[in-house]
Coordinates of all heavy atoms in Angstrom, one line a residue:
M135 N 110.3 123.9 151.6 CA 111.7 124.1 151.1 C 112.7 123.8 152.2 O 112.5 124.3 153.3 CB 111.8 125.6 150.6 CG 113.1 125.9 149.9 SD 113.2 127.6 149.3 CE 112.2 127.5 147.8
P136 N 113.7 123.0 151.9 CA 114.6 122.7 153.0 C 115.4 124.0 153.5 O 115.6 124.9 152.7 CB 115.6 121.7 152.4 CG 115.3 121.8 150.9 CD 114.0 122.3 150.7
K137 N 115.8 123.9 154.7 CA 116.6 125.0 155.3 C 117.9 124.6 155.8 O 118.1 123.4 156.2 CB 115.8 125.6 156.5 CG 114.5 126.3 156.2 CD 113.9 127.0 157.3 CE 112.5 127.5 157.0 NZ 112.4 128.4 155.9
V138 N 118.9 125.4 155.6 CA 120.3 125.2 156.1 C 120.7 126.3 156.9 O 120.4 127.5 156.6 CB 121.2 124.9 154.9 CG1 121.3 126.1 153.9 CG2 122.6 124.6 155.4
T139 N 121.3 126.0 158.0 CA 121.9 127.0 158.9 C 123.4 127.2 158.7 O 124.1 126.2 158.7 CB 121.6 126.7 160.4 OG1 120.2 126.6 160.6 CG2 122.2 127.7 161.3
L140 N 123.8 128.4 158.4 CA 125.2 128.7 158.3 C 125.7 129.4 159.6 O 125.1 130.4 159.9 CB 125.5 129.6 157.1 CG 125.2 128.9 155.7 CD1 125.5 129.8 154.6 CD2 125.9 127.6 155.6
R141 N 126.7 128.9 160.2 CA 127.2 129.4 161.5 C 128.5 130.1 161.2 O 129.4 129.5 160.6 CB 127.4 128.2 162.4 CG 127.7 128.6 163.8 CD 127.4 127.4 164.7 NE 126.0 127.3 165.0 CZ 125.4 126.2 165.5 NH1 126.1 125.1 165.7 NH2 124.1 126.2 165.7
R142 N 128.5 131.4 161.5 CA 129.8 132.2 161.3 C 130.0 133.1 162.5 O 129.1 133.8 162.9 CB 129.5 133.1 160.1 CG 129.4 132.4 158.8 CD 129.0 133.4 157.7 NE 127.6 133.8 157.8 CZ 127.1 134.9 157.2 NH1 127.9 135.7 156.5 NH2 125.8 135.2 157.3
A143 N 131.2 133.0 163.0 CA 131.7 134.0 164.0 C 130.6 134.2 165.1 O 130.3 135.4 165.4 CB 132.1 135.3 163.4
G144 N 130.0 133.2 165.5 CA 129.1 133.3 166.7 C 127.7 133.6 166.3 O 126.8 133.8 167.2
F145 N 127.3 133.8 165.0 CA 125.9 134.0 164.7 C 125.5 133.0 163.6 O 126.3 132.6 162.8 CB 125.6 135.5 164.3 CG 126.2 135.9 163.0 CD1 125.5 135.9 161.9 CD2 127.5 136.3 162.9 CE1 126.0 136.3 160.7 CE2 128.1 136.7 161.7 CZ 127.3 136.7 160.6
D146 N 124.2 132.7 163.7 CA 123.6 131.7 162.7 C 122.7 132.4 161.7 O 122.0 133.4 162.1 CB 122.8 130.7 163.5 CG 123.6 129.7 164.3 OD1 124.8 129.8 164.2 OD2 123.0 128.9 165.0
T147 N 122.8 132.0 160.5 CA 121.9 132.5 159.5 C 121.2 131.3 158.9 O 121.8 130.3 158.4 CB 122.7 133.2 158.3 OG1 123.5 134.2 158.9 CG2 121.7 133.8 157.3
V148 N 119.8 131.3 158.9 CA 119.0 130.2 158.4 C 118.6 130.6 157.0 O 118.0 131.7 156.8 CB 117.8 129.9 159.3 CG1 117.0 128.8 158.8 CG2 118.3 129.6 160.7
L149 N 118.9 129.8 156.0 CA 118.6 130.1 154.6 C 117.7 129.0 154.0 O 117.9 127.8 154.3 CB 119.9 130.2 153.8 CG 120.9 131.3 154.3 CD1 122.2 131.1 153.6 CD2 120.3 132.7 154.0
D150 N 116.8 129.5 153.2 CA 116.0 128.5 152.4 C 116.9 128.0 151.2 O 117.6 128.8 150.6 CB 114.8 129.2 151.8 CG 113.7 129.6 152.9 OD1 113.6 128.8 153.8 OD2 113.1 130.6 152.8
A151 N 116.7 126.8 150.9 CA 117.5 126.2 149.8 C 116.5 125.5 148.8 O 115.7 124.7 149.2 CB 118.4 125.1 150.4
A152 N 116.6 125.8 147.6 CA 115.9 125.1 146.5 C 116.3 123.7 146.5 O 117.5 123.4 146.7 CB 116.1 125.8 145.2
E153 N 115.4 122.8 146.3 CA 115.7 121.4 146.3 C 116.8 121.1 145.3 O 116.7 121.6 144.1 CB 114.4 120.6 145.9 CG 114.5 119.1 146.0 CD 114.1 118.6 147.4 OE1 113.5 119.4 148.2 OE2 114.3 117.4 147.6
G154 N 117.8 120.4 145.7 CA 118.9 120.0 144.8 C 120.0 121.0 144.6 O 121.0 120.7 143.9
T155 N 120.0 122.1 145.3 CA 121.1 123.1 145.3 C 122.1 122.7 146.4 O 121.7 122.1 147.4 CB 120.6 124.5 145.5 OG1 120.0 124.6 146.7 CG2 119.7 125.0 144.3
S156 N 123.3 123.1 146.1 CA 124.4 122.7 147.1 C 124.4 123.8 148.2 O 123.9 125.0 148.0 CB 125.7 122.6 146.5 OG 126.2 123.9 146.1
V157 N 124.9 123.4 149.4 CA 125.1 124.4 150.4 C 125.9 125.6 149.9 O 125.7 126.8 150.3 CB 125.7 123.7 151.7 CG1 126.1 124.8 152.7 CG2 124.8 122.7 152.3
M158 N 127.0 125.3 149.1 CA 127.8 126.4 148.6 C 126.9 127.3 147.7 O 127.1 128.6 147.9 CB 128.9 125.8 147.7 CG 129.8 126.8 147.0 SD 129.1 127.4 145.5 CE 129.5 126.1 144.4
Q159 N 126.1 126.8 146.9 CA 125.2 127.7 146.0 C 124.3 128.5 146.9 O 124.1 129.7 146.6 CB 124.5 126.8 145.0 CG 125.3 126.2 144.0 CD 124.6 125.2 143.1 OE1 123.9 124.4 143.6 NE2 124.8 125.3 141.8
V160 N 123.7 127.9 147.9 CA 122.8 128.7 148.8 C 123.6 129.8 149.5 O 123.1 131.0 149.5 CB 122.2 127.7 149.8 CG1 121.3 128.5 150.8 CG2 121.4 126.6 149.2
A161 N 124.8 129.5 149.9 CA 125.6 130.5 150.6 C 126.0 131.7 149.7 O 125.8 132.8 150.0 CB 126.8 129.9 151.2
T162 N 126.5 131.3 148.5 CA 127.0 132.4 147.7 C 125.8 133.2 147.1 O 125.9 134.4 146.9 CB 127.8 131.8 146.5 OG1 127.1 130.9 145.8 CG2 129.1 131.2 147.0
A163 N 124.7 132.6 146.9 CA 123.5 133.3 146.4 C 122.9 134.3 147.4 O 122.2 135.2 147.1 CB 122.4 132.3 145.9
N164 N 123.3 134.0 148.7 CA 122.8 134.9 149.8 C 123.8 135.7 150.4 O 123.7 136.3 151.5 CB 122.1 134.0 150.9 CG 120.8 133.4 150.4 OD1 119.8 134.1 150.6 ND2 120.8 132.2 149.9
G165 N 124.9 136.0 149.6 CA 125.9 136.9 150.0 C 126.8 136.5 151.2 O 127.4 137.4 151.9
V166 N 126.9 135.2 151.4 CA 127.8 134.7 152.4 C 129.2 134.7 151.9 O 129.7 133.8 151.3 CB 127.4 133.3 152.9 CG1 128.4 132.8 154.0 CG2 126.0 133.4 153.5
H167 N 129.9 135.9 152.1 CA 131.2 136.1 151.4 C 132.3 135.2 151.9 O 133.4 135.1 151.3 CB 131.6 137.6 151.4 CG 131.8 138.1 152.8 ND1 130.9 138.6 153.6 CD2 133.0 138.1 153.5 CE1 131.4 138.9 154.8 NE2 132.7 138.7 154.7
E168 N 132.1 134.6 153.1 CA 133.2 133.8 153.6 C 133.4 132.5 152.8 O 134.4 131.8 152.9 CB 132.9 133.4 155.1 CG 132.9 134.5 156.1 CD 131.6 135.2 156.2 OE1 130.7 135.0 155.3 OE2 131.4 135.9 157.2
I169 N 132.4 132.1 152.1 CA 132.5 131.0 151.1 C 132.9 131.5 149.8 O 132.2 132.2 149.1 CB 131.1 130.2 151.0 CG1 130.6 129.7 152.3 CG2 131.2 129.1 149.9 CD1 131.1 128.4 152.7
L170 N 134.2 131.2 149.5 CA 134.8 131.8 148.3 C 134.3 131.0 147.0 O 134.0 131.6 146.0 CB 136.3 131.9 148.3 CG 136.9 132.7 149.5 CD1 138.4 132.7 149.4 CD2 136.3 134.1 149.5
A171 N 134.4 129.7 147.1 CA 133.9 128.9 146.0 C 134.5 129.3 144.6 O 133.9 129.5 143.6 CB 132.4 128.9 145.9
V172 N 135.8 129.4 144.6 CA 136.6 129.9 143.4 C 136.3 129.1 142.2 O 136.2 129.6 141.1 CB 138.1 129.9 143.8 CG1 138.9 130.3 142.5 CG2 138.4 131.0 144.9
C173 N 136.2 127.8 142.3 CA 136.0 126.9 141.2 C 134.5 126.8 140.8 O 134.2 126.1 139.8 CB 136.6 125.6 141.4 SG 135.7 124.5 142.4
G174 N 133.6 127.3 141.5 CA 132.2 127.3 141.2 C 131.6 125.9 141.4 O 130.6 125.6 140.8
G175 N 132.2 125.1 142.2 CA 131.6 123.8 142.5 C 132.2 122.6 141.8 O 131.6 121.5 141.8
E176 N 133.3 122.8 141.1 CA 133.9 121.8 140.3 C 134.9 120.9 141.1 O 135.6 120.1 140.6 CB 134.7 122.4 139.1 CG 133.8 123.2 138.2 CD 132.8 122.3 137.5 OE1 133.1 121.2 137.1 OE2 131.7 122.8 137.3
M177 N 134.9 121.1 142.4 CA 135.8 120.3 143.3 C 137.3 120.5 143.0 O 138.0 119.5 142.9 CB 135.4 118.9 143.4 CG 135.3 118.5 144.8 SD 134.7 116.9 145.3 CE 134.1 116.0 144.0
A178 N 137.6 121.8 142.7 CA 139.0 122.0 142.3 C 139.6 123.1 143.1 O 140.7 123.6 142.7 CB 139.0 122.4 140.8
C179 N 139.0 123.6 144.2 CA 139.6 124.8 144.9 C 139.6 124.6 146.4 O 140.5 125.2 147.0 CB 138.8 126.0 144.5 SG 137.1 126.1 145.3
A180 N 138.7 123.9 147.0 CA 138.7 123.7 148.5 C 138.5 125.0 149.2 O 138.8 125.2 150.4 CB 140.0 123.0 149.0
T181 N 137.8 126.0 148.5 CA 137.5 127.3 149.2 C 136.1 127.4 149.6 O 135.5 128.5 149.7 CB 137.9 128.5 148.3 OG1 137.2 128.5 147.1 CG2 139.4 128.5 148.0
C182 N 135.4 126.2 149.8 CA 134.0 126.2 150.2 C 133.9 125.3 151.5 O 132.9 124.7 151.7 CB 133.2 125.7 149.1 SG 133.5 124.0 148.6
H183 N 135.0 125.3 152.2 CA 135.1 124.4 153.4 C 134.2 124.8 154.5 O 134.1 125.9 154.9 CB 136.6 124.5 153.9 CG 137.0 123.7 155.0 ND1 138.1 124.0 155.8 CD2 136.4 122.5 155.6 CE1 138.2 123.0 156.8 NE2 137.2 122.2 156.7
V184 N 133.4 123.8 155.0 CA 132.6 123.9 156.2 C 132.8 122.8 157.1 O 133.3 121.7 156.7 CB 131.1 124.0 155.8 CG1 130.8 125.2 154.9 CG2 130.6 122.8 155.1
Y185 N 132.3 123.0 158.3 CA 132.3 121.9 159.3 C 130.8 121.6 159.6 O 130.0 122.5 160.0 CB 132.9 122.3 160.6 CG 134.3 122.8 160.5 CD1 134.6 124.2 160.4 CD2 135.4 121.9 160.3 CE1 135.9 124.7 160.3 CE2 136.7 122.4 160.2 CZ 137.0 123.8 160.1 OH 138.2 124.2 160.0
V186 N 130.4 120.3 159.4 CA 129.0 119.9 159.6 C 128.8 119.7 161.1 O 129.5 118.9 161.7 CB 128.7 118.6 158.9 CG1 127.3 118.1 159.2 CG2 128.9 118.8 157.4
E187 N 127.9 120.5 161.7 CA 127.8 120.5 163.1 C 126.5 119.8 163.7 O 126.5 119.3 164.8 CB 127.9 121.9 163.7 CG 129.2 122.5 163.4 CD 129.6 123.6 164.5 OE1 128.7 124.4 164.8 OE2 130.8 123.6 164.9
D188 N 125.5 119.8 162.9 CA 124.2 119.3 163.4 C 123.2 119.0 162.2 O 123.5 119.4 161.1 CB 123.6 120.3 164.4 CG 122.7 119.6 165.5 OD1 122.5 118.4 165.3 OD2 122.3 120.3 166.4
G189 N 122.1 118.4 162.6 CA 121.1 118.1 161.6 C 121.1 116.7 161.1 O 121.7 115.8 161.9
P190 N 120.5 116.4 160.0 CA 120.4 115.0 159.6 C 121.7 114.4 159.0 O 121.8 114.3 157.7 CB 119.3 115.1 158.5 CG 119.5 116.5 157.9 CD 119.9 117.3 159.1
L191 N 122.6 114.1 159.8 CA 124.0 113.8 159.4 C 123.9 112.5 158.6 O 124.7 112.3 157.6 CB 124.9 113.6 160.6 CG 125.0 114.8 161.6 CD1 126.0 114.5 162.6 CD2 125.3 116.1 160.8
D192 N 123.0 111.6 158.9 CA 123.0 110.3 158.1 C 122.5 110.5 156.7 O 122.7 109.6 155.9 CB 122.0 109.3 158.8 CG 122.6 108.8 160.1 OD1 123.8 109.0 160.4 OD2 121.8 108.3 161.0
A193 N 121.9 111.6 156.4 CA 121.4 111.8 155.0 C 122.5 112.4 154.1 O 122.2 112.5 152.9 CB 120.2 112.8 155.1
L194 N 123.6 112.8 154.7 CA 124.6 113.3 153.8 C 125.4 112.2 153.1 O 125.6 111.1 153.6 CB 125.6 114.1 154.7 CG 125.1 115.3 155.4 CD1 126.2 116.0 156.3 CD2 124.5 116.3 154.4
P195 N 125.8 112.5 151.9 CA 126.6 111.5 151.1 C 128.0 111.3 151.8 O 128.5 112.3 152.4 CB 126.7 112.1 149.7 CG 126.7 113.6 150.0 CD 125.7 113.8 151.1
P196 N 128.5 110.2 151.7 CA 129.9 110.0 152.2 C 130.9 110.8 151.4 O 130.6 111.2 150.3 CB 130.1 108.5 152.1 CG 129.2 108.0 151.1 CD 128.0 108.9 151.1
I197 N 132.0 111.0 152.0 CA 133.1 111.7 151.3 C 133.7 110.8 150.2 O 134.1 109.7 150.5 CB 134.2 112.2 152.3 CG1 133.7 113.1 153.3 CG2 135.4 112.8 151.5 CD1 134.6 113.5 154.4
G198 N 133.6 111.3 149.0 CA 134.2 110.6 147.9 C 135.7 110.8 147.7 O 136.3 111.6 148.4
D199 N 136.3 110.0 146.8 CA 137.8 110.1 146.7 C 138.2 111.5 146.3 O 139.2 112.1 146.8 CB 138.3 109.1 145.6 CG 138.1 107.7 146.1 OD1 138.0 107.5 147.3 OD2 138.2 106.8 145.2
E200 N 137.5 112.2 145.3 CA 137.9 113.5 144.9 C 137.8 114.5 146.0 O 138.6 115.4 146.3 CB 137.0 114.0 143.7 CG 137.6 113.7 142.4 CD 136.7 114.3 141.3 OE1 135.7 113.7 140.9 OE2 136.9 115.5 140.9
E201 N 136.7 114.4 146.8 CA 136.5 115.4 147.9 C 137.5 115.1 148.9 O 138.1 116.1 149.5 CB 135.1 115.2 148.5 CG 134.8 116.2 149.6 CD 133.4 116.1 150.2 OE1 132.6 115.3 149.7 OE2 133.1 116.9 151.1
E202 N 137.8 113.9 149.2 CA 138.9 113.5 150.2 C 140.2 114.2 149.7 O 140.9 114.8 150.6 CB 139.0 112.0 150.2 CG 140.0 111.5 151.2 CD 139.7 111.8 152.6 OE1 138.5 111.7 153.0 OE2 140.6 112.1 153.4
D203 N 140.5 114.1 148.5 CA 141.8 114.7 148.0 C 141.8 116.2 148.2 O 142.7 116.8 148.7 CB 142.0 114.4 146.5 CG 142.3 112.9 146.3 OD1 142.7 112.2 147.2 OD2 142.3 112.5 145.1
M204 N 140.6 116.8 147.9 CA 140.6 118.3 148.0 C 140.6 118.8 149.4 O 141.1 119.9 149.8 CB 139.4 118.9 147.3 CG 139.4 118.8 145.8 SD 141.0 119.5 145.1 CE 140.9 121.2 145.7
L205 N 140.0 118.0 150.3 CA 140.1 118.3 151.7 C 141.5 118.4 152.3 O 141.8 119.0 153.3 CB 139.2 117.3 152.5 CG 137.7 117.6 152.5 CD1 136.9 116.4 153.0 CD2 137.3 118.9 153.2
G206 N 142.4 117.8 151.5 CA 143.8 117.9 151.9 C 144.4 119.3 151.6 O 145.5 119.6 152.1
F207 N 143.6 120.1 151.0 CA 144.1 121.5 150.6 C 143.4 122.6 151.3 O 143.6 123.8 150.9 CB 144.0 121.7 149.1 CG 144.9 120.7 148.3 CD1 144.3 119.6 147.7 CD2 146.2 121.0 148.1 CE1 145.1 118.7 147.0 CE2 147.0 120.1 147.4 CZ 146.5 119.0 146.9
V208 N 142.5 122.3 152.2 CA 141.8 123.4 152.9 C 142.7 124.3 153.7 O 143.8 123.8 154.2 CB 140.7 122.8 153.8 CG1 139.6 122.2 153.0 CG2 141.2 121.9 154.8
A209 N 142.4 125.6 153.8 CA 143.3 126.5 154.5 C 143.1 126.5 156.0 O 144.1 126.6 156.7 CB 142.9 127.9 154.0
A210 N 141.9 126.3 156.5 CA 141.7 126.2 157.9 C 141.9 124.8 158.3 O 141.8 123.9 157.5 CB 140.3 126.7 158.2
P211 N 142.2 124.5 159.6 CA 142.4 123.1 160.0 C 141.3 122.2 159.6 O 140.1 122.5 159.7 CB 142.5 123.2 161.5 CG 142.9 124.6 161.8 CD 142.3 125.4 160.7
R212 N 141.7 121.0 159.1 CA 140.6 120.0 158.8 C 140.3 119.3 160.1 O 141.1 119.0 160.9 CB 141.2 119.0 157.8 CG 140.2 118.0 157.4 CD 140.6 117.0 156.4 NE 139.6 116.0 156.2 CZ 139.6 115.0 155.4 NH1 140.7 114.9 154.6 NH2 138.7 114.1 155.3
E213 N 138.9 119.1 160.2 CA 138.5 118.4 161.4 C 137.7 117.1 160.9 O 137.4 117.0 159.7 CB 137.6 119.3 162.2 CG 138.4 120.5 162.8 CD 137.5 121.5 163.6 OE1 136.4 121.1 163.9 OE2 138.0 122.6 163.8
S214 N 137.3 116.3 161.8 CA 136.6 115.1 161.4 C 135.3 115.4 160.7 O 134.7 114.5 160.0 CB 136.3 114.2 162.6 OG 135.6 114.9 163.6
N215 N 134.7 116.6 160.9 CA 133.4 116.9 160.3 C 133.6 117.9 159.2 O 132.6 118.5 158.7 CB 132.4 117.5 161.4 CG 133.0 118.7 162.1 OD1 134.2 119.0 162.0 ND2 132.1 119.4 162.8
S216 N 134.8 118.0 158.6 CA 135.0 118.9 157.5 C 134.4 118.3 156.2 O 134.5 117.1 156.0 CB 136.5 119.0 157.2 OG 137.2 119.8 158.2
R217 N 133.8 119.2 155.5 CA 133.2 118.8 154.2 C 133.4 120.0 153.2 O 133.6 121.2 153.6 CB 131.7 118.5 154.2 CG 131.3 117.3 155.0 CD 131.9 116.0 154.5 NE 131.5 115.7 153.1 CZ 130.5 114.9 152.8 NH1 129.9 114.2 153.7 NH2 130.2 114.7 151.5
L218 N 133.3 119.7 151.9 CA 133.2 120.8 150.9 C 131.8 121.1 150.7 O 131.0 120.2 150.3 CB 133.9 120.4 149.6 CG 135.4 120.1 149.7 CD1 135.9 119.6 148.4 CD2 136.2 121.3 150.2
S219 N 131.4 122.4 150.9 CA 129.9 122.7 150.9 C 129.3 122.5 149.5 O 128.1 122.4 149.3 CB 129.7 124.1 151.4 OG 130.4 125.0 150.7
C220 N 130.2 122.5 148.4 CA 129.7 122.3 147.1 C 129.2 120.8 146.9 O 128.6 120.5 145.9 CB 130.7 122.7 146.0 SG 132.2 121.7 146.0
Q221 N 129.6 120.0 147.8 CA 129.2 118.5 147.7 C 128.1 118.2 148.6 O 127.7 117.0 148.7 CB 130.4 117.7 148.0 CG 131.6 117.9 147.1 CD 131.2 117.8 145.6 OE1 130.7 116.8 145.2 NE2 131.4 118.8 144.8
L222 N 127.5 119.1 149.3 CA 126.4 118.9 150.2 C 125.1 119.4 149.5 O 124.9 120.6 149.5 CB 126.6 119.6 151.5 CG 127.9 119.2 152.2 CD1 128.1 120.0 153.5 CD2 127.9 117.7 152.6
L223 N 124.3 118.5 149.0 CA 123.1 118.9 148.4 C 121.9 119.0 149.4 O 121.7 118.2 150.2 CB 122.7 117.9 147.2 CG 123.7 117.9 146.1 CD1 123.1 117.0 145.0 CD2 124.0 119.3 145.5
M224 N 121.1 120.1 149.2 CA 120.0 120.3 150.0 C 118.7 119.6 149.4 O 118.4 119.9 148.2 CB 119.7 121.8 150.2 CG 120.8 122.5 151.0 SD 121.1 121.7 152.6 CE 119.5 121.8 153.4
T225 N 118.1 118.7 150.2 CA 116.9 118.1 149.8 C 116.0 118.0 151.0 O 116.4 118.5 152.1 CB 117.1 116.6 149.3 OG1 117.6 115.9 150.4 CG2 118.2 116.6 148.2
S226 N 114.8 117.4 150.9 CA 114.0 117.3 152.1 C 114.7 116.4 153.1 O 114.5 116.6 154.3 CB 112.6 116.7 151.7 OG 112.8 115.4 151.0
A227 N 115.6 115.5 152.7 CA 116.2 114.7 153.6 C 117.3 115.4 154.4 O 117.7 115.0 155.5 CB 116.9 113.5 152.9
T228 N 117.9 116.5 153.8 CA 118.9 117.2 154.5 C 118.4 118.5 155.2 O 119.2 119.3 155.6 CB 120.1 117.5 153.6 OG1 119.6 118.2 152.4 CG2 120.8 116.2 153.2
D229 N 117.1 118.7 155.1 CA 116.5 119.8 155.8 C 116.9 119.9 157.3 O 116.9 118.9 158.0 CB 114.9 119.7 155.8 CG 114.2 120.8 156.4 OD1 114.7 122.0 156.3 OD2 113.1 120.6 156.9
G230 N 117.3 121.1 157.7 CA 117.8 121.3 159.1 C 119.3 121.1 159.3 O 119.8 121.2 160.4
L231 N 120.0 121.0 158.2 CA 121.5 120.9 158.3 C 122.1 122.2 158.9 O 121.6 123.3 158.6 CB 122.0 120.7 156.9 CG 123.5 120.3 156.8 CD1 123.8 118.9 157.4 CD2 124.0 120.3 155.3
V232 N 123.1 122.0 159.7 CA 123.8 123.1 160.4 C 125.2 122.9 160.1 O 125.8 121.9 160.4 CB 123.5 123.1 161.9 CG1 124.3 124.3 162.5 CG2 122.1 123.2 162.2
V233 N 125.8 123.9 159.4 CA 127.3 123.9 159.1 C 127.9 125.2 159.6 O 127.3 126.2 159.6 CB 127.6 123.7 157.6 CG1 126.9 122.5 157.1 CG2 127.2 125.0 156.8
R234 N 129.2 125.0 160.1 CA 130.0 126.2 160.5 C 130.9 126.5 159.4 O 131.6 125.6 158.9 CB 130.7 125.9 161.8 CG 131.7 126.9 162.3 CD 132.1 126.7 163.7 NE 132.5 125.3 164.0 CZ 133.8 124.9 163.8 NH1 134.7 125.7 163.5 NH2 134.1 123.6 164.1
V235 N 131.0 127.7 159.0 CA 131.9 128.1 157.9 C 133.3 128.2 158.4 O 133.6 128.7 159.5 CB 131.4 129.5 157.3 CG1 132.4 129.9 156.2 CG2 130.0 129.4 156.8
A236 N 134.2 127.6 157.6 CA 135.6 127.6 158.0 C 136.1 129.1 158.2 O 135.7 129.9 157.4 CB 136.5 126.9 157.0
P237 N 137.0 129.4 159.1 CA 137.4 130.7 159.4 C 138.3 131.3 158.3 O 138.4 132.5 158.1 CB 138.1 130.7 160.7 CG 138.5 129.2 160.8 CD 137.5 128.4 160.1
R238 N 139.0 130.4 157.5 CA 139.8 130.9 156.4 C 139.5 129.9 155.2 O 139.4 128.7 155.4 CB 141.3 130.8 156.7 CG 141.8 131.9 157.7 CD 143.3 131.8 157.8 NE 143.8 130.6 158.3 CZ 144.7 129.8 157.6 NH1 145.2 130.2 156.5 NH2 145.1 128.7 158.1
Q239 N 139.6 130.5 154.0 CA 139.4 129.6 152.8 C 140.6 129.7 151.9 O 140.7 128.9 151.0 CB 138.1 130.1 152.0 CG 136.8 130.0 152.8 CD 136.3 128.6 153.0 OE1 136.9 127.6 152.6 NE2 135.2 128.5 153.7
E240 N 141.5 130.6 152.2 CA 142.8 130.6 151.3 C 143.8 131.2 152.1 O 143.6 131.8 153.2 CB 142.5 131.4 150.1 CG 142.1 132.8 150.3 CD 141.9 133.5 148.9 OE1 142.0 132.9 147.9 OE2 141.7 134.7 149.0
Ligands
FES254 S1 133.6 125.3 145.2 FE1 135.6 124.7 144.7 S2 135.8 122.8 145.8 FE2 133.8 123.5 146.3

């Protein structure tokens, strides 16, 4: 089962992810309350903002037009590695992904 590391305020949490679930779904299912995910993954809220820090970066999908638009509404500063966690699917190819949760989501 692929693993994803969520980095928050100086500590890391390594979580198992069912194949095909998003980083947002893994986070919310495991009580990571910093990921608000108000829209439930419909790419309409930008409250699931993370910074991709390490892991198989080449296996991630490129930012699409809709995600690009929503990244314009994130509450914390956008950085070059900003992504919406609802758009990052966990598979064997993305096993080992490390993301830092944005300090503010709204
Ligand atoms: S959960 Fe709303 S944009 Fe990701």
Side-chain angles (χ1 to χ4, degrees):
M135 186 176 281
K137 293 186 185 308
V138 57
T139 298
L140 296 181
R141 188 160 282 163
R142 294 173 283 163
F145 69 96
D146 288 354
T147 306
V148 181
L149 298 171
D150 289 324
E153 189 90 12
T155 57
S156 70
V157 172
M158 177 277 281
Q159 290 172 315
V160 175
T162 56
N164 285 278
V166 177
H167 65 271
E168 293 92 340
I169 300 276
L170 301 182
V172 172
C173 77
E176 299 296 321
M177 228 174 351
C179 73
T181 63
C182 62
H183 181 200
V184 296
Y185 304 100
V186 176
E187 296 209 317
D188 208 350
L191 307 184
D192 291 344
L194 298 178
I197 297 175
D199 290 343
E200 267 187 273
E201 184 177 359
E202 181 66 39
D203 288 347
M204 288 311 300
L205 283 167
F207 296 99
V208 292
R212 181 177 176 179
E213 297 177 11
S214 59
N215 57 348
S216 285
R217 295 296 303 257
L218 297 178
S219 59
C220 65
Q221 301 306 304
L222 302 176
L223 296 186
M224 293 305 301
T225 66
S226 56
T228 56
D229 181 31
L231 189 66
V232 179
V233 303
R234 177 167 46 92
V235 177
R238 285 189 302 124
Q239 300 287 1
E240 61 178 6

